[in-house]
């Protein structure tokens, strides 16, 4: 007798539901410091997320489950509550020592504002790179194709539509450079 092989689609669907369940489980954990490490373990070992050491997750991340392989998180990062990462259109890379305020959103996909001949807006996509030592305030939105330079600070509520230079403060909708930050060494402090 011939054994029935499971359908690839069914296996993929089960894995997607499993990942989504695990993400939701990590999201309902209370905000207790000791449970932040548990979230890190869940993301790294149960979901297979590429996450570095010493990362803190205050609340669960909302991640597109079918694109987890496109998310790369460096070492010593801090993720606050309510962070949404949609990496279906490209990679989202976080450097080291990145601070992310509550309610931030990262979108690697979008649509063109121009209608084509069939009256359809074409899909656009691009990767997002958050360099080392970046601080994003609350409710920042980072859109496709953006690189945020090392040491940059993004004001709360900003919408990042273009690259952000190193060591500067940006804010607004769309975000603009507000001022440059003097890079200090440990000796200056």
């Amino acid at each position: 007798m011939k054994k029935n092989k499971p359908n690839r689609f069914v296996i993929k669907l089960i894995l997607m539901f499993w990942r989504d369940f695990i993400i939701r489980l990590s999201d309902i954990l209370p905000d207790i410091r000791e449970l932040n490490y548990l979230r890190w373990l869940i993301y790294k070992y149960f979901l297979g997320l590429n996450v570095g050491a010493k990362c803190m997750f205050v609340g669960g991340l909302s991640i597109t489950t079918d694109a987890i392989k496109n998310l790369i998180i460096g070492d010593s990062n801090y993720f606050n509550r309510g962070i949404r990462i949609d990496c279906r259109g490209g990679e989202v890379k976080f450097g080291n020592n990145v601070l992310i305020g509550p309610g931030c959103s990262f979108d690697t996909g979008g649509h063109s504002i121009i209608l084509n001949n069939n009256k359809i807006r074409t899909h656009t996509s691009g990767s997002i790179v958050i360099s080392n030592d970046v601080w994003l305030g609350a409710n920042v939105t980072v859109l496709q194709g953006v690189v945020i330079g090392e040491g940059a600070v993004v004001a709360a509520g900003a919408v990042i539509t273009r690259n952000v230079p190193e060591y500067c403060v940006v804010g607004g909708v769309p975000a603009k450079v507000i001022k440059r930050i003097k890079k200090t060494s440990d000796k200056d402090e």
Side-chain angles (χ1 to χ4, degrees), residues 59-115:
L61 299 176
S62 174
I63 310 168
T64 48
T65 55
D66 56 339
I68 285 178
K69 66 184 178 303
N70 291 338
L71 179 58
I72 301 166
I73 299 173
D75 296 332
S76 302
N77 293 326
Y78 179 87
F79 290 82
N80 215 312
R81 295 172 187 85
I83 295 172
R84 190 180 68 77
I85 303 171
D86 186 341
C87 45
R88 289 177 288 186
E91 284 188 334
V92 177
K93 294 182 184 179
F94 294 94
N96 300 323
N97 305 309
V98 175
L99 303 172
I100 302 173
C104 289
S105 177
F106 303 88
D107 294 299
T108 59
H111 293 88
S112 171
I113 61 170
I114 300 168
L115 290 171

Coordinates of all heavy atoms in Angstrom, one line a residue, residues 59-115:
G59 N 7.3 44.0 25.3 CA 6.0 43.4 24.9 C 6.3 42.5 23.7 O 7.4 42.5 23.1
G60 N 5.3 41.7 23.3 CA 5.5 40.9 22.1 C 5.6 41.7 20.8 O 5.1 42.8 20.7
L61 N 6.3 41.2 19.8 CA 6.4 41.8 18.5 C 5.3 41.3 17.6 O 4.9 40.1 17.7 CB 7.7 41.4 17.9 CG 9.0 41.9 18.5 CD1 10.2 41.3 17.8 CD2 9.1 43.4 18.7
S62 N 4.8 42.2 16.8 CA 3.8 41.7 15.8 C 4.6 41.6 14.5 O 5.1 42.6 13.9 CB 2.7 42.8 15.6 OG 1.9 42.4 14.5
I63 N 4.9 40.3 14.1 CA 5.7 40.1 12.9 C 4.9 39.3 11.9 O 4.2 38.4 12.3 CB 6.9 39.2 13.4 CG1 7.6 39.7 14.6 CG2 7.9 39.0 12.2 CD1 8.6 38.8 15.2
T64 N 5.2 39.6 10.6 CA 4.5 38.8 9.6 C 5.2 37.4 9.6 O 6.4 37.3 9.4 CB 4.8 39.4 8.2 OG1 6.1 39.8 8.0 CG2 3.9 40.7 8.0
T65 N 4.4 36.4 10.0 CA 4.9 35.1 10.2 C 5.5 34.4 9.0 O 6.4 33.6 9.2 CB 3.8 34.2 10.8 OG1 2.7 34.1 10.0 CG2 3.4 34.7 12.2
D66 N 5.1 34.7 7.8 CA 5.7 34.1 6.7 C 7.0 34.7 6.2 O 7.5 34.3 5.2 CB 4.6 34.0 5.5 CG 4.1 35.4 5.2 OD1 4.2 36.3 6.0 OD2 3.6 35.6 4.0
A67 N 7.4 35.7 6.9 CA 8.7 36.4 6.5 C 9.7 36.6 7.6 O 10.5 37.5 7.6 CB 8.3 37.8 5.9
I68 N 9.6 35.7 8.6 CA 10.5 35.8 9.7 C 12.0 35.7 9.3 O 12.9 36.3 9.8 CB 10.2 34.7 10.7 CG1 8.9 35.1 11.5 CG2 11.3 34.4 11.7 CD1 8.5 34.1 12.5
K69 N 12.3 35.0 8.2 CA 13.6 34.9 7.7 C 14.2 36.2 7.3 O 15.4 36.4 7.1 CB 13.7 33.8 6.6 CG 13.0 34.3 5.3 CD 13.0 33.2 4.3 CE 12.2 33.6 3.0 NZ 10.9 33.9 3.2
N70 N 13.4 37.2 7.0 CA 13.8 38.5 6.6 C 14.1 39.5 7.7 O 14.4 40.6 7.5 CB 12.8 39.1 5.6 CG 12.7 38.4 4.3 OD1 13.6 37.7 3.9 ND2 11.5 38.6 3.6
L71 N 14.0 39.0 8.9 CA 14.2 39.9 10.1 C 15.5 39.5 10.8 O 15.7 38.4 11.1 CB 13.0 39.7 11.1 CG 13.1 40.6 12.3 CD1 13.2 42.0 12.1 CD2 11.8 40.3 13.2
I72 N 16.4 40.5 10.9 CA 17.7 40.3 11.6 C 17.8 41.3 12.7 O 17.7 42.5 12.4 CB 18.8 40.4 10.5 CG1 18.6 39.4 9.4 CG2 20.2 40.3 11.2 CD1 19.5 39.7 8.2
I73 N 18.1 40.8 13.9 CA 18.2 41.7 15.1 C 19.6 41.5 15.7 O 19.9 40.4 16.0 CB 17.1 41.4 16.1 CG1 15.7 41.6 15.5 CG2 17.2 42.2 17.3 CD1 14.5 41.2 16.3
G74 N 20.3 42.6 15.9 CA 21.6 42.6 16.5 C 21.6 42.4 18.0 O 20.6 42.0 18.6
D75 N 22.7 42.7 18.6 CA 22.9 42.5 20.1 C 22.4 43.7 20.8 O 22.5 44.8 20.4 CB 24.4 42.2 20.4 CG 24.9 40.9 19.8 OD1 24.1 40.0 19.6 OD2 26.1 40.9 19.5
S76 N 22.0 43.5 22.1 CA 21.7 44.5 23.1 C 20.7 45.5 22.6 O 20.9 46.7 22.8 CB 23.0 45.2 23.5 OG 24.0 44.3 24.0
N77 N 19.7 45.1 22.0 CA 18.6 46.0 21.5 C 17.4 46.0 22.5 O 17.2 45.0 23.2 CB 18.1 45.6 20.1 CG 19.1 45.8 19.1 OD1 19.9 46.7 19.1 ND2 19.1 44.9 18.1
Y78 N 16.7 47.1 22.5 CA 15.5 47.2 23.4 C 14.3 47.5 22.6 O 14.2 48.5 21.9 CB 15.8 48.4 24.4 CG 14.6 48.6 25.4 CD1 14.6 47.9 26.6 CD2 13.6 49.5 25.1 CE1 13.5 48.1 27.5 CE2 12.6 49.7 25.9 CZ 12.5 49.0 27.1 OH 11.5 49.3 28.0
F79 N 13.3 46.6 22.7 CA 12.1 46.7 22.0 C 10.9 46.9 23.0 O 10.7 46.1 23.8 CB 11.8 45.4 21.2 CG 12.7 45.2 20.0 CD1 13.9 44.6 20.2 CD2 12.3 45.6 18.7 CE1 14.8 44.4 19.1 CE2 13.1 45.3 17.7 CZ 14.4 44.8 17.9
N80 N 10.3 48.1 22.9 CA 9.2 48.4 23.7 C 7.9 47.7 23.3 O 7.9 46.9 22.3 CB 9.0 49.9 23.8 CG 8.5 50.3 25.2 OD1 7.6 49.8 25.8 ND2 9.2 51.4 25.7
R81 N 6.7 48.0 23.8 CA 5.4 47.4 23.5 C 4.9 47.8 22.1 O 5.2 48.9 21.7 CB 4.4 47.8 24.6 CG 4.7 47.3 25.9 CD 3.7 47.9 26.9 NE 4.0 47.6 28.3 CZ 4.9 48.3 29.0 NH1 5.4 49.4 28.5 NH2 5.1 48.0 30.2
G82 N 4.1 47.0 21.6 CA 3.3 47.3 20.4 C 4.1 47.6 19.1 O 3.7 48.4 18.3
I83 N 5.2 46.9 18.9 CA 6.0 47.1 17.7 C 5.6 46.1 16.6 O 5.4 44.9 16.9 CB 7.5 46.9 18.1 CG1 7.9 48.0 19.0 CG2 8.3 46.9 16.8 CD1 9.3 47.8 19.6
R84 N 5.4 46.7 15.4 CA 4.9 45.9 14.3 C 5.9 45.9 13.2 O 6.4 47.0 12.8 CB 3.6 46.6 13.7 CG 2.9 45.7 12.7 CD 1.6 46.4 12.2 NE 1.9 47.6 11.4 CZ 2.4 47.6 10.1 NH1 2.6 46.4 9.5 NH2 2.6 48.7 9.5
I85 N 6.3 44.7 12.8 CA 7.3 44.6 11.7 C 6.8 43.7 10.6 O 6.5 42.6 10.8 CB 8.6 43.9 12.3 CG1 9.1 44.7 13.5 CG2 9.7 43.8 11.2 CD1 10.2 44.0 14.3
D86 N 6.6 44.4 9.4 CA 6.2 43.7 8.2 C 7.3 43.6 7.3 O 7.7 44.6 6.6 CB 5.0 44.5 7.6 CG 4.4 43.7 6.4 OD1 5.0 42.8 5.9 OD2 3.2 44.0 6.1
C87 N 7.9 42.4 7.2 CA 9.1 42.3 6.3 C 8.9 41.3 5.1 O 9.7 40.6 4.7 CB 10.3 41.8 7.2 SG 10.0 40.5 8.3
R88 N 7.7 41.4 4.6 CA 7.4 40.6 3.4 C 8.0 41.2 2.1 O 8.2 40.5 1.2 CB 5.9 40.5 3.2 CG 5.2 39.6 4.2 CD 3.7 39.6 4.1 NE 3.2 40.9 4.5 CZ 1.9 41.2 4.6 NH1 1.0 40.3 4.2 NH2 1.5 42.3 4.9
G89 N 8.3 42.5 2.1 CA 8.8 43.2 0.9 C 10.3 43.2 0.9 O 10.9 43.7 -0.1
G90 N 11.0 42.8 1.9 CA 12.4 42.9 2.0 C 12.9 42.7 3.4 O 12.1 42.4 4.3
E91 N 14.2 42.8 3.6 CA 14.8 42.5 5.0 C 14.6 43.7 5.9 O 14.6 44.9 5.4 CB 16.3 42.2 4.9 CG 16.6 40.8 4.4 CD 18.1 40.5 4.5 OE1 18.9 41.5 4.4 OE2 18.4 39.3 4.5
V92 N 14.5 43.5 7.1 CA 14.5 44.5 8.2 C 15.7 44.1 9.1 O 15.7 43.0 9.7 CB 13.2 44.6 9.0 CG1 13.4 45.7 10.1 CG2 12.1 44.9 8.1
K93 N 16.7 45.0 9.1 CA 17.9 44.7 9.9 C 18.1 45.7 11.0 O 18.1 46.9 10.7 CB 19.2 44.7 9.0 CG 19.2 43.7 7.9 CD 20.5 43.8 7.1 CE 20.6 42.8 6.0 NZ 21.8 42.9 5.2
F94 N 18.2 45.3 12.2 CA 18.5 46.1 13.3 C 20.0 45.9 13.7 O 20.4 44.8 13.9 CB 17.6 45.8 14.5 CG 16.2 46.1 14.3 CD1 15.3 45.1 13.8 CD2 15.7 47.4 14.5 CE1 14.0 45.3 13.6 CE2 14.3 47.6 14.2 CZ 13.5 46.6 13.8
G95 N 20.7 47.0 13.9 CA 22.1 46.9 14.3 C 22.2 46.5 15.8 O 21.3 46.0 16.3
N96 N 23.2 47.0 16.4 CA 23.4 46.7 17.9 C 23.1 48.0 18.7 O 23.2 49.1 18.2 CB 24.9 46.4 18.2 CG 25.3 45.1 17.4 OD1 24.5 44.2 17.3 ND2 26.5 45.1 17.0
N97 N 22.6 47.8 19.9 CA 22.3 48.9 20.8 C 21.3 49.9 20.3 O 21.4 51.1 20.4 CB 23.6 49.7 21.2 CG 24.7 48.8 21.7 OD1 24.5 48.0 22.6 ND2 25.9 48.9 21.1
V98 N 20.2 49.3 19.7 CA 19.1 50.1 19.2 C 18.0 50.1 20.2 O 17.6 49.1 20.8 CB 18.6 49.4 17.8 CG1 17.4 50.2 17.3 CG2 19.7 49.4 16.8
L99 N 17.5 51.3 20.4 CA 16.3 51.5 21.3 C 15.1 51.9 20.5 O 15.1 52.8 19.7 CB 16.6 52.7 22.3 CG 17.9 52.6 23.1 CD1 18.2 53.9 23.9 CD2 17.8 51.4 24.1
I100 N 14.0 51.1 20.7 CA 12.8 51.3 20.0 C 11.7 51.6 20.9 O 11.3 50.7 21.8 CB 12.5 50.1 19.1 CG1 13.7 49.8 18.1 CG2 11.2 50.3 18.3 CD1 13.6 48.6 17.4
G101 N 11.0 52.7 20.8 CA 9.9 53.2 21.6 C 8.7 52.4 21.3 O 8.6 51.7 20.3
P102 N 7.6 52.6 22.1 CA 6.4 51.9 21.9 C 5.7 52.3 20.7 O 5.7 53.4 20.3 CB 5.6 52.2 23.2 CG 6.1 53.5 23.7 CD 7.6 53.5 23.3
G103 N 5.0 51.3 20.0 CA 4.1 51.6 18.9 C 4.8 51.9 17.6 O 4.2 52.4 16.6
C104 N 6.1 51.5 17.5 CA 6.8 51.8 16.2 C 6.4 50.7 15.1 O 6.0 49.6 15.5 CB 8.3 51.7 16.4 SG 9.0 53.1 17.3
S105 N 6.5 51.1 13.9 CA 6.1 50.3 12.8 C 7.1 50.3 11.7 O 7.7 51.4 11.3 CB 4.7 50.9 12.2 OG 4.3 50.1 11.1
F106 N 7.4 49.1 11.1 CA 8.4 49.0 10.0 C 7.7 48.3 8.9 O 7.3 47.1 9.0 CB 9.6 48.2 10.6 CG 10.2 48.8 11.8 CD1 9.8 48.5 13.0 CD2 11.2 49.7 11.6 CE1 10.3 49.0 14.2 CE2 11.8 50.3 12.8 CZ 11.4 49.9 14.0
D107 N 7.6 48.9 7.7 CA 6.9 48.4 6.6 C 7.9 48.3 5.3 O 8.3 49.4 4.9 CB 5.7 49.3 6.2 CG 4.7 49.2 7.3 OD1 4.2 48.1 7.5 OD2 4.3 50.3 7.9
T108 N 8.1 47.1 4.8 CA 9.0 47.0 3.7 C 8.2 46.9 2.4 O 8.9 46.9 1.3 CB 9.9 45.7 3.8 OG1 9.0 44.6 3.9 CG2 10.8 45.8 5.0
G109 N 6.9 47.0 2.4 CA 6.1 47.0 1.2 C 5.2 48.1 1.1 O 4.8 48.7 2.1
G110 N 4.8 48.5 -0.1 CA 3.8 49.5 -0.2 C 3.2 49.5 -1.6 O 3.3 48.5 -2.3
H111 N 2.6 50.6 -2.1 CA 2.1 50.7 -3.4 C 2.5 52.0 -4.0 O 2.6 53.0 -3.3 CB 0.5 50.6 -3.3 CG 0.1 49.2 -2.9 ND1 -0.1 48.9 -1.6 CD2 -0.2 48.1 -3.6 CE1 -0.5 47.6 -1.5 NE2 -0.5 47.1 -2.7
S112 N 2.6 52.0 -5.3 CA 2.9 53.2 -6.1 C 1.7 54.2 -6.0 O 0.6 53.7 -6.0 CB 3.2 52.9 -7.5 OG 3.3 54.0 -8.3
I113 N 2.0 55.5 -6.1 CA 0.9 56.4 -6.1 C 0.3 56.6 -7.5 O -0.7 57.2 -7.7 CB 1.3 57.8 -5.5 CG1 2.4 58.4 -6.3 CG2 1.6 57.7 -4.1 CD1 2.7 59.9 -6.0
I114 N 1.0 56.1 -8.5 CA 0.7 56.2 -9.9 C -0.1 54.9 -10.4 O 0.3 53.8 -10.1 CB 1.9 56.4 -10.8 CG1 2.6 57.6 -10.4 CG2 1.5 56.4 -12.3 CD1 4.0 57.8 -10.9
L115 N -1.3 55.2 -11.0 CA -2.1 54.1 -11.5 C -1.5 53.6 -12.9 O -1.1 54.5 -13.7 CB -3.5 54.5 -11.7 CG -4.3 54.7 -10.5 CD1 -5.7 55.4 -10.9 CD2 -4.6 53.4 -9.8

